[in-house]
Amino acid sequence: MATHPAVRDEHLGHVVFISAAAAMGGFLFGYDSAVINGAVTGIQKHFGVGNGETAFVVAIALLGSAAGAVMAGWLADHLGRVRTMLLAATLFAISGIGSMFPPSIEVLGVWRVLGGIAIGIASVIAPTYIAEVAPTAYRGRLASFQQMAIVLGITVSQLANWALNQAAGGESTNHLAGIQAWQWMLGVEAVPALVYGLMAMAIPESPRYLIADGREEQARKVLVEVEGPDVDLDSRVAEIRRVLDTRRKPRLTDLLGGRFGLLPIVWVGIGASVFQQFVGINVIFYYSSFLWQSVGINESNSLLISLSTSIVNVIGTVVAMALVDRIGRKPLALAGSAGMAAALGVAAWAFSFRHGTGSTATLDNTYATVALVAAHVFVFCFAFSWGVVVWVLLGEMFPNAIRALALSVAASAQWIANWAITVSFPNLADWNLSATYVIYACFALLSIPFVAFCIKETKGKALEEMG
């Protein structure tokens, strides 16, 4: 049941703050996952390793993310949404400090796994929490805070990487205040982690979790806080109770059913997560400095390009936030899929003119310009569509009783798909950079029928109607 529009608007500012605080985990998610982009060259030089070892260190965090996403559903349902955020903030801070001073690349990998666990937790808990406190009419835009926070985290990480690289004279292995620039890139994460922890302590627990946990009076206070004093509390609590099993926590067995083991709605969530990654978006954010250096652009300029694509990512996300509740989730996803397929195809064509391999590779100016424009168009199309839509859908498409757990399974699949793309890209790029982008373009094309036939529109529907 929706609250009266005037009441909702009166309390919208408070709900915006609550959502933004939860989405701070998304900022750290974006920062931690993308900051390695600027540090890759420094790590290679410092530890004297090649593409294989580098890909391992970059990608291993994503296995941690998959584990964190699986854990997040259980943590959210047993500890509560807010305590789970505090745990993620702590893990982010520890990982950042540890990654700053690794004695070996293997130890760096361990700290990256810990940070990955925090990313996985944050990727699940923020959309779960925001969907549960947001008024129905604004839920899409408020859930978009998660993706906006992610892209801002990516942008800030690229800005920090570029600034630190410039301060170190254009080389990430040069020293600043006694340690190398790439170490500062990884360690600065501890600052936003502290902010995340402080903000998490300032927001209320989810009313749906409180009711499931038997704390109805607290839930009523939170409902008044987020929906206004004129909300019909008895009706709202009864509505939530009707779709929540308050006597037990959801188990993995609750996700089973249907012809292929899991419930069909869970498979749709997994499919959306996998397609989001298989278009190759995180190649741009994890490896763009490596990518542009592989076609003859120097380290400093490659980091500047990484910053520009991050800014385009922010712009596209703003567009999505303005449209997701107006035109719906499916139209945005379909438009983005078509745009991504075209841009990836053009990039593949441009990369086919690359000369040489490794550090000697070059790309003529005309084709380099085409590749740069195509990469920016690809990022924009992803940002206004799949970047936002998938997180919005995952936060609202599942039935209440299994939402956190189902979201954690879908997010875990997303991180495994992300790992597969990330760990394979350096070797695929060495094999055939153009063919690699053809593969990504094919997945973008395949995502069109997936959206058309498998995704149900969730615009304007109450969470209690889902599933």
Side-chain angles (χ1 to χ4, degrees):
M1 178 182 298
T3 59
H4 190 278
V7 173
R8 185 190 302 127
D9 291 343
E10 177 185 342
H11 288 263
L12 184 60
H14 183 56
V15 178
V16 166
F17 169 77
I18 291 172
S19 301
M24 188 65 191
F27 180 92
L28 281 155
F29 164 178
Y31 189 99
D32 187 275
S33 59
V35 72
I36 194 71
N37 179 39
V40 163
T41 303
I43 291 169
Q44 282 188 319
K45 292 179 179 178
H46 179 76
F47 292 112
V49 295
N51 287 346
E53 293 92 336
T54 303
F56 173 79
V57 169
V58 173
I60 196 170
L62 304 174
L63 294 181
S65 298
V70 170
M71 294 164 52
W74 185 90
L75 291 169
D77 287 326
H78 287 74
L79 299 180
R81 281 50 165 160
V82 172
R83 287 181 182 175
T84 303
M85 292 180 208
L86 291 171
L87 174 61
T90 302
L91 294 177
F92 274 124
I94 293 171
S95 170
I97 297 300
S99 298
M100 201 173 182
F101 303 104
S104 67
I105 195 165
E106 291 80 13
V107 174
L108 176 59
V110 171
W111 293 121
R112 293 273 299 156
V113 169
L114 189 65
I117 292 172
I119 292 173
I121 293 173
S123 73
V124 170
I125 195 62
T128 299
Y129 178 85
I130 293 170
E132 291 179 348
V133 300
T136 298
Y138 296 99
R139 194 176 61 236
R141 274 168 281 180
L142 292 173
S144 299
F145 277 24
Q146 165 79 346
Q147 182 64 17
M148 175 55 79
I150 292 171
V151 300
L152 286 175
I154 291 170
T155 303
V156 169
S157 73
Q158 302 311 304
L159 178 60
N161 286 347
W162 178 78
L164 288 166
N165 182 271
Q166 292 300 297
E171 292 287 340
S172 55
T173 49
N174 289 346
H175 284 72
L176 289 171
I179 63 174
Q180 295 179 27
W182 67 266
Q183 294 175 269
W184 283 111
M185 294 175 186
L186 300 180
V188 170
E189 177 187 10
V191 176
L194 176 62
V195 174
Y196 179 34
L198 293 173
M199 292 182 75
M201 289 190 287
I203 61 178
E205 184 54 84
S206 158
R208 288 171 176 81
Y209 168 77
L210 290 171
I211 290 173
D213 199 47
R215 290 184 278 168
E216 184 177 315
E217 286 307 309
Q218 287 179 255
R220 287 171 174 265
K221 292 177 182 178
V222 176
L223 285 169
V224 171
E225 187 176 340
V226 299
E227 298 189 10
D230 294 337
V231 63
D232 185 342
L233 285 174
D234 290 337
S235 176
R236 289 293 288 120
V237 170
E239 182 181 27
I240 294 170
R241 277 194 183 283
R242 276 198 300 270
V243 292
L244 275 176
D245 181 357
T246 59
R247 299 304 176 192
R248 65 178 179 83
K249 308 295 182 184
R251 300 185 296 263
L252 282 175
T253 53
D254 295 328
L255 305 185
L256 300 179
R259 189 178 299 176
F260 301 104
L262 297 174
L263 294 170
I265 191 67
V266 178
W267 280 119
V268 172
I270 290 171
S273 292
V274 170
F275 271 116
Q276 189 197 52
Q277 296 305 314
F278 276 12
V279 296
I281 186 63
N282 282 315
V283 167
I284 297 290
F285 297 125
Y286 299 166
Y287 286 121
S288 61
S289 65
F290 172 89
L291 171 65
W292 299 120
Q293 288 175 62
S294 75
V295 293
I297 297 173
N298 65 37
E299 182 180 349
S300 181
N301 286 338
S302 70
L303 291 175
L304 196 58
I305 293 169
S306 299
L307 176 59
S308 70
T309 53
S310 297
I311 293 170
V312 169
N313 197 19
V314 172
I315 295 170
T317 303
V318 171
V319 172
M321 292 177 71
L323 297 178
V324 69
D325 279 327
R326 294 182 183 178
I327 68 173
R329 286 60 160 153
K330 287 185 70 169
L332 280 182
L334 289 169
S337 292
M340 287 190 296
L344 287 165
V346 172
W349 174 79
F351 285 138
S352 70
F353 294 95
R354 184 175 71 157
H355 308 293
T357 57
S359 61
T360 64
T362 59
L363 196 61
D364 293 342
N365 286 341
T366 300
Y367 301 116
T369 301
V370 171
L372 282 170
V373 172
H376 284 74
V377 171
F378 165 57
V379 169
F380 179 76
C381 290
F382 177 86
F384 81 70
S385 60
W386 283 77
V388 165
V389 167
V390 170
W391 288 114
V392 172
L393 284 172
L394 292 182
E396 62 188 16
M397 68 189 289
F398 301 114
N400 267 314
I402 64 167
R403 179 171 297 112
L405 192 58
L407 203 162
S408 72
V409 170
S412 180
Q414 184 174 133
W415 289 115
I416 293 171
N418 193 344
W419 171 82
I421 292 294
T422 303
V423 77
S424 64
F425 176 73
N427 289 331
L428 284 174
D430 283 345
W431 162 65
N432 191 318
L433 184 59
S434 178
T436 301
Y437 270 76
V438 169
I439 294 170
Y440 301 153
C442 289
F443 280 112
L445 281 173
L446 288 171
S447 70
I448 294 174
F450 173 79
V451 173
F453 298 110
C454 298
I455 297 291
K456 292 183 179 179
E457 183 59 69
T458 56
K459 171 191 169 187
K461 295 183 178 179
L463 290 184
E464 284 67 38
E465 297 177 50
M466 301 303 175

